[in-house]
Amino acid sequence: MKRTTILILLAILVGIGMNPRVSFAQEDELFIAINQDESLTETERFEMAKDGLGKALVLALEKVAQLTSDLDNRQFDEGTRGAELKALYLLDLVGYNTFYSEALATTPTLENLEAVQALAQKVKDYRDTTYTPGVENIVEFVLVFYSEDILKTATERFEKISADIEKLETLGLIDAGVFTEQINSINTLLTDAGDLRLQASEIILAVQPQEATTTVETIASSTEAEIDTLPLTAETAEVVEEVAPRMLLQTSLGNVKSAYELFLEISNSVKITLGLE
């Protein structure tokens, strides 16, 4: 993998925040705007609200499909904890897909704004209590193994650079010890990155997945919900606060990114010293 490609990937992974939540924020704002816009007829408000809900459900289904693909592409030895969790998480994703697909199929049958609001409320409740905490676990599970691959590549790169520096020093082409500080820094960064990834892995592999079982049958019949921004439930708040694995992985990937930046510094300095630039 080319250095520039790895740096771009690391920048994306570190900056992504690792939040898998499919947000309904724009749809919330849409419902509020629709309800307050007196220039719209009741029919127009209804159609716009239904369209907004449909788009939100499509986004959720796309996220589920992407996570399913990510899991399918990761192979584990049979009988391992990783294989067990992969199978359980795939079952969870089937549940999420079923819920959102049924909700999406129900949307065209809704006959008034109140029915749309009720369905949207139930979908948001499901998102906060079931989907979001479940998908956060899946995202962390996928990421911990991607980070393992990235760390392995970085370690191999470090070993090659260290060997190259030693050869150049032996040949007298660069002064001994010129890159000692940077080499030591890289070693520390990668060692810490490995420790952090291992800590995150131990926490993530200890998680007990919970298959989603909610159906949409009771959703279509409910008509009393209002579209306000939903407060987090006590259970969801507890999950949001428990971000240790995510923060560990984010810091680990940040260390690897810093190591690659030092790789580039060393490479550029060597080229200048040898008159290659």
Side-chain angles (χ1 to χ4, degrees):
M1 189 180 294
K2 294 182 178 179
R3 286 174 295 169
T4 53
T5 302
I6 291 177
L7 279 172
I8 292 172
L9 176 60
L10 284 169
I12 293 172
L13 289 175
V14 173
I16 200 171
M18 288 170 276
N19 187 354
R21 184 183 187 118
V22 175
S23 175
F24 278 67
Q26 293 180 345
E27 285 67 32
D28 293 345
E29 294 171 2
L30 175 62
F31 284 127
I32 294 172
I34 291 170
N35 288 330
Q36 294 178 346
D37 190 344
E38 296 181 358
S39 67
L40 296 175
T41 66
E42 186 70 18
T43 299
E44 288 173 331
R45 281 197 289 268
F46 164 57
E47 291 297 336
M48 291 181 69
K50 186 163 68 172
D51 181 64
L53 176 58
K55 289 178 180 178
L57 291 168
V58 168
L59 287 174
L61 284 167
E62 289 175 352
K63 180 65 177 181
V64 170
Q66 181 59 57
L67 287 172
T68 300
S69 176
D70 289 341
L71 279 178
D72 281 335
N73 290 333
R74 174 60 58 176
Q75 302 302 316
F76 299 95
D77 292 334
E78 186 176 352
T80 63
R81 177 61 173 162
E84 178 188 1
L85 284 176
K86 174 183 174 179
L88 291 171
Y89 284 141
L90 284 172
L91 284 176
D92 283 346
L93 287 165
V94 169
Y96 305 150
N97 183 77
T98 298
F99 177 88
Y100 286 122
S101 294
E102 291 180 356
L104 184 60
T106 298
T107 301
T109 69
L110 302 176
E111 298 181 350
N112 52 55
L113 182 60
E114 289 72 22
V116 175
Q117 291 175 323
L119 177 56
Q121 183 74 46
K122 289 294 183 179
V123 169
K124 290 165 67 181
D125 287 341
Y126 177 84
R127 176 202 65 189
D128 287 343
T129 60
T130 302
Y131 172 81
T132 293
V135 170
E136 284 179 345
N137 289 337
I138 295 172
V139 168
E140 289 175 347
F141 177 74
V142 171
L143 188 60
V144 78
F145 293 104
Y146 277 125
S147 64
E148 181 181 25
D149 295 340
I150 290 171
L151 183 57
K152 179 181 178 181
T153 301
T155 301
E156 291 172 351
R157 177 71 180 167
F158 175 53
E159 291 172 352
K160 184 179 184 305
I161 287 177
S162 298
D164 289 344
I165 292 297
E166 186 175 346
K167 289 178 183 178
L168 291 173
E169 289 178 343
T170 301
L171 293 172
L173 295 176
I174 61 174
D175 294 334
V178 169
F179 296 109
T180 298
E181 183 176 348
Q182 288 160 303
I183 292 295
N184 289 340
S185 294
I186 293 172
N187 183 58
T188 299
L189 284 167
L190 295 182
T191 299
D192 289 347
D195 291 342
L196 291 166
R197 197 208 69 82
L198 181 59
Q199 292 176 47
S201 177
E202 291 174 348
I203 297 172
I204 290 168
L205 293 179
V207 168
Q208 297 298 324
Q210 177 176 319
E211 185 177 355
T213 57
T214 306
T215 65
V216 80
E217 294 177 358
T218 58
I219 292 178
S221 62
S222 178
T223 59
E224 298 181 356
E226 295 182 0
I227 301 303
D228 293 320
T229 301
L230 286 179
L232 293 176
T233 64
E235 293 79 11
T236 305
E238 183 177 341
V239 171
V240 170
E241 288 180 4
E242 191 176 345
V243 293
R246 186 176 309 174
M247 295 304 296
L248 290 168
L249 288 172
Q250 194 165 8
T251 304
S252 176
L253 289 168
N255 282 6
V256 177
K257 179 175 179 289
S258 296
Y260 268 93
E261 291 169 351
L262 289 174
F263 290 162
L264 290 176
E265 286 182 15
I266 292 174
S267 177
N268 291 335
S269 295
V270 169
K271 288 178 181 178
I272 293 172
T273 302
L274 298 180
L276 301 177
E277 278 195 356

